Amino acid sequence: MIDRVAGVTTIDFNRVSPKYIVVDLIGYLISGVAMTAISFVPLIVFGWSLGWIPPVVVGGISLLMIALTPRRVRAIGYTLREDDLVFRRGIMWSRVVAVPYGRMQLVDINRGPVARAVGLSELKLVTAAASTGVVIPGLPEAVAEELRDQLVALAESRRAGL
């Protein structure tokens, strides 16, 4: 739904599942622990007196990413408009992409092991332009399959009209 109030356009976005917060948290936790462990190498191998600084910095950044995950997931959304799909994500560096249905070449569903365990999928839209490729994470499996079928039908009908 699009509302125009005082010259400003607002769009009601469909949000991803709140379960995606768990998937994202697990990913950041695993990568944070691994990167923090790797950053101990200068301290252990070379015995540097300041070798404790990299693990503290990497661990701090990892904790910050984990703390921001719920807000970042809530910022992900998509909506279907008459001629295109609009996707948004990001808190500080916001990205809003409109993908015309007629330009879609591939609509793919991916399920990682953690996402599959909580019943989620990600929908990947591929176009000829590399910069407009969109991945919508955290969709329930039934919603992802229904959206894929709907987008494929819309893409076929729009390409036929070219």
Side-chain angles (χ1 to χ4, degrees):
M1 175 180 195
I2 301 174
D3 296 324
R4 299 185 198 286
V5 179
V8 177
T9 302
T10 59
I11 301 174
D12 286 336
F13 285 92
N14 300 310
R15 298 193 186 248
V16 299
S17 172
K19 292 179 186 178
Y20 184 64
I21 294 171
V22 174
V23 175
D24 222 21
L25 281 174
I26 291 172
Y28 278 114
L29 186 63
I30 291 170
S31 63
V33 168
M35 294 303 292
T36 303
I38 290 170
S39 66
F40 271 106
V41 169
L43 177 65
I44 295 169
V45 173
F46 301 115
W48 291 349
S49 60
L50 297 178
W52 59 270
I53 294 175
V56 169
V57 171
V58 171
I61 291 171
S62 296
L63 288 176
L64 180 64
M65 295 300 290
I66 289 169
L68 292 176
T69 294
R71 174 64 184 101
R72 189 175 48 255
V73 169
R74 285 192 305 271
I76 300 171
Y78 69 94
T79 189
L80 300 175
R81 297 192 305 184
E82 187 176 334
D83 295 323
D84 55 11
L85 176 135
V86 178
F87 174 74
R88 72 159 188 206
R89 81 176 320 148
I91 301 171
M92 291 181 62
W93 289 274
S94 179
R95 178 180 184 210
V96 178
V97 178
V99 182
Y101 299 129
R103 302 285 182 194
M104 291 181 193
Q105 294 181 337
L106 175 70
V107 182
D108 189 20
I109 294 177
N110 296 315
R111 294 179 180 103
V114 178
R116 190 173 41 247
V118 294
L120 298 179
S121 303
E122 71 178 21
L123 191 72
K124 182 179 180 181
L125 309 170
V126 178
T127 65
S131 64
T132 57
V134 170
V135 177
I136 304 172
L139 296 174
E141 291 178 10
V143 171
E145 291 174 5
E146 180 182 327
L147 186 57
R148 177 198 56 205
D149 295 342
Q150 186 177 4
L151 290 173
V152 167
L154 285 166
E156 286 298 319
S157 68
R158 300 300 152 104
R159 275 198 298 265
L162 291 178

